[in-house]
Amino acid sequence: MPYPRAYWKSSLMSDVLVVGIIGGFGGMGRLFAGVFERAGHKVLISGRNTCPSNSDLAGVCDVVIVSVPIHETVKVIEEIAPLMNSDQILCDFTSVKLEPVKAMLKSEAKVIGLHPMFGPSVSGIKGQTIVATPVRCDRKSEEMLYQIFRNEGADVCIMTPEEHDRITGIVQGLVHFATLSVADTIRNSGISPEAILPVMSPVYRIEMGLIGRILGQDAALYGDILQMNPASETVIENFCKSAGKLKDIVKSKDRKLFESFFNENEKAFHDYIPQATKDTDTVIEALVK
């Protein structure tokens, strides 16, 4: 073992956890290493070809969190799952949940899927949301873990893995697909972003900013989010149907058809519109200052 026995913990003797983050050298791993360390816990990290290894962490740590690219997550979980026991907690930081949770359940450990709904570039987790999908864990262990996040100002949203993937199919899959489609349409128009920006109002600068924000990040991450979420295909098909319907309405020049389409969606979003207006007004005010 690369660590002396002093790193081992008996839950009957100490409130200090040993938290292992596999993939801890990445941005998200480093962010949460700080979260656990500020809570007074010991943090061990592993990466590709490191000492300690992933297996070492599985043998030493009270909590093991897999924080690797989505397409590598199940493979890493399958590597460590046989090494873990019922006194440990096994988690992941993946943007999809069904398959990673299914893999974690093959261990004897307590299992809580986790999905930080933000990127590692944030300065901290205050005001951010972390989705938790507990599937095999006692309430005391769950609350202990959630409280670490809440103490730093994060919100913890609890749902099932199935609910998670359906909802993130919209929150991430649909939004990313639509945003990338807009980016590709602008590129194919032959008009550069630099030519568009001077005539944009703050509202449209926000939309353009989202395009730039996504394109400034890792293509592999967004590919995994779109291609590995089982809900993405249906959501994207529905998007294309809606886009096709709206395209036909625009081509028809029928004002009543357009108003009907618009008003049906206004009714669906009616309760959210005041909050949306308030939120975007705040962003607009910040932009124009």
Side-chain angles (χ1 to χ4, degrees):
M1 277 291 178
Y3 289 97
R5 191 166 181 84
Y7 273 88
W8 289 64
K9 166 188 171 286
S10 167
S11 60
L12 299 177
M13 297 172 62
S14 172
D15 291 329
V16 177
L17 298 171
V18 181
V19 180
I21 303 178
I22 296 175
F25 294 102
M28 194 66 75
R30 291 196 302 269
L31 178 67
F32 276 89
V35 170
F36 288 108
E37 287 170 346
R38 286 190 292 276
H41 304 299
K42 297 176 181 177
V43 177
L44 309 180
I45 60 177
S46 66
R48 291 187 178 93
N49 304 314
T50 62
C51 182
S53 66
N54 299 345
S55 299
D56 292 332
L57 264 60
V60 171
C61 297
D62 301 292
V63 181
V64 176
I65 301 173
V66 177
S67 180
V68 300
I70 300 171
H71 62 274
E72 296 180 8
T73 298
V74 170
K75 179 182 177 181
V76 172
I77 292 171
E78 289 175 342
E79 171 192 345
I80 64 169
L83 307 175
M84 299 190 66
N85 62 57
S86 59
D87 292 328
Q88 297 171 286
I89 301 174
L90 178 56
C91 307
D92 74 307
F93 275 163
T94 317
S95 298
V96 296
K97 279 288 154 277
L98 278 172
E99 292 305 315
V101 163
K102 189 183 298 182
M104 289 191 287
L105 285 171
K106 294 178 183 177
S107 73
E108 294 183 1
K110 302 165 187 175
V111 174
I112 305 175
L114 297 171
H115 180 190
M117 299 297 294
F118 49 90
S121 62
V122 299
S123 59
I125 67 172
K126 182 178 180 179
Q128 303 289 350
T129 297
I130 299 171
V131 174
T133 60
V135 290
R136 185 175 65 208
C137 194
D138 60 278
R139 190 63 178 167
K140 182 178 179 181
S141 297
E142 282 185 51
E143 285 302 316
M144 174 274 301
L145 188 61
Y146 302 158
Q147 197 58 48
I148 293 171
F149 304 144
R150 289 172 179 145
N151 286 346
E152 293 237 342
D155 294 321
V156 178
C157 180
I158 300 170
M159 60 182 66
T160 67
E162 294 80 6
E163 288 173 322
H164 171 276
D165 284 2
R166 285 199 304 271
I167 291 172
T168 56
I170 298 290
V171 172
Q172 292 186 317
L174 174 60
V175 173
H176 297 338
F177 182 84
T179 301
L180 290 170
S181 296
V182 172
D184 198 54
T185 303
I186 293 173
R187 179 182 65 84
N188 288 324
S189 74
I191 303 174
S192 70
E194 291 76 17
I196 297 170
L197 286 173
V199 298
M200 280 191 157
S201 70
V203 170
Y204 300 116
R205 283 171 57 196
I206 293 169
E207 293 187 8
M208 185 66 84
L210 292 174
I211 294 173
R213 185 176 180 86
I214 287 178
L215 292 176
Q217 299 183 57
D218 183 13
L221 170 62
Y222 287 88
D224 281 353
I225 288 172
L226 284 166
Q227 294 175 326
M228 299 193 71
N229 187 330
S232 289
E233 186 175 342
T234 298
V235 170
I236 291 169
E237 286 178 357
N238 289 337
F239 173 84
C240 292
K241 287 178 183 177
S242 295
K245 180 181 178 181
L246 181 56
K247 173 186 172 183
D248 290 340
I249 290 172
V250 172
K251 287 177 66 177
S252 75
K253 309 297 184 184
D254 188 322
R255 297 184 66 180
K256 288 186 178 180
L257 275 178
F258 180 82
E259 288 175 4
S260 177
F261 180 92
F262 189 96
N263 290 335
E264 284 177 1
N265 287 287
E266 184 277 332
K267 289 177 183 176
F269 282 76
H270 182 269
D271 291 342
Y272 170 64
I273 289 172
Q275 184 64 49
T277 303
K278 179 181 178 182
D279 290 346
T280 51
D281 281 347
T282 301
V283 177
I284 290 168
E285 289 175 7
L287 277 175
V288 299
K289 283 183 179 178

